[in-house]
Amino acid sequence: MHFETLGEKGKPVVLFFHAMGVVGESSEPVAQFLRERYFCVMPTSSVYCAGERYVSKEDEIRQVEDFLRAQGVRELALVVSSSLGADLAAAFLSQTKLPVGHAYFDGGQFVRIKRSTRRLMTPFLYLAIKSLWWTRGGTLKKILWCDDAAIRPYFIAAGQALRYGDLRRQLGDSLVDAPFPSLPEALQARCFFAFGSAEDHFKYRPAVMAAYPKGQFPVFEGYDHMQYQIRDPEGFAAMLISVMETGKLPELPVLRREEP
């Protein structure tokens, strides 16, 4: 894995897990607005790192914990994950011994896919991600989950080092046809599982609510996948600060009001 950081060591720590098809630096637009008050850690999965080999989720978690230990981190104020990053983040939260204040899952791809389907997905996703490197982002509007220019550089960077075997191994132990990782109820209550009402992943929300009944499940009305953090990183960062400092989301007009 490759690690980027923003902010000063010794400040409360925010750990990011990035989406599929992008590198860890994709969280920098948000982290820039947190760096004065927090130490932001942004790992890039081994899948997208030149000269490295993806082994397993357990190995990725080990690398994250080794890095945090080397930085002297003893607790985490917040774990933030996006899209497929939610799969690794949930596994991390279920295994880590580090105290975690809160967790925020943005459009988490909480879905379980059979092995045969994952095998069919792999060549398509490989060509999709590699094509972004080959065309310098020219195919972004036709494939994958986002066509916003703000995230294009991170797609391009991910495609450069991607190798088919690494992606195949990642999909082989991610999104597996098995129960979601178990999280203690006390931690569930400090977890926010957010979805945009317009995103395709919104259909997974009932399954997430059933798996983590003590969690919080905000809906961003009219927003597509990860659209709020991509288009308004400053507002997204302010929302994360509210989560860390108050345990609640701020009053945002885009949030759906639902009956308890």
Side-chain angles (χ1 to χ4, degrees), residues 17-80:
F17 289 96
H18 63 80
M20 174 181 280
V22 295
V23 293
E25 289 90 338
S26 60
S27 298
E28 282 189 356
V30 175
Q32 289 288 356
F33 294 103
L34 298 173
R35 66 185 302 175
E36 294 300 320
R37 300 163 63 178
Y38 300 94
F39 181 54
C40 299
V41 178
M42 296 164 284
T44 293
S45 172
S46 301
V47 175
Y48 308 111
C49 294
E52 298 189 16
R53 182 177 186 270
Y54 180 90
V55 178
S56 65
K57 277 193 292 190
E58 287 68 28
D59 185 64
E60 298 286 283
I61 291 169
R62 177 194 59 78
Q63 291 186 62
V64 170
E65 293 204 310
D66 286 351
F67 180 83
L68 294 174
R69 190 178 302 112
Q71 301 300 307
V73 175
R74 297 184 178 181
E75 61 181 337
L76 299 170
L78 180 68
V79 172
V80 185

Side-chain angles (χ1 to χ4, degrees), residues 99-114:
V100 177
H102 294 87
Y104 190 95
F105 299 85
D106 188 21
Q109 197 167 346
F110 287 98
V111 58
R112 291 301 177 249
I113 300 174
K114 296 184 182 299

Side-chain angles (χ1 to χ4, degrees), residues 176-189:
V176 294
D177 191 16
F180 299 138
S182 177
L183 299 178
E185 289 188 352
L187 178 57
Q188 289 182 37

Side-chain angles (χ1 to χ4, degrees), residues 110 180 195 201-213 217:
F110 287 98
F180 299 138
F195 291 91
H201 293 179
F202 187 75
K203 63 190 177 187
Y204 305 137
R205 185 171 180 256
V208 181
M209 295 176 75
Y212 304 117
F217 304 92

Side-chain angles (χ1 to χ4, degrees), residues 154-171:
Y154 310 112
F155 273 117
I156 295 171
Q160 180 177 9
L162 180 66
R163 292 184 297 185
Y164 186 83
D166 289 324
L167 182 63
R168 177 175 54 80
R169 282 188 292 273
Q170 183 194 41
L171 293 179

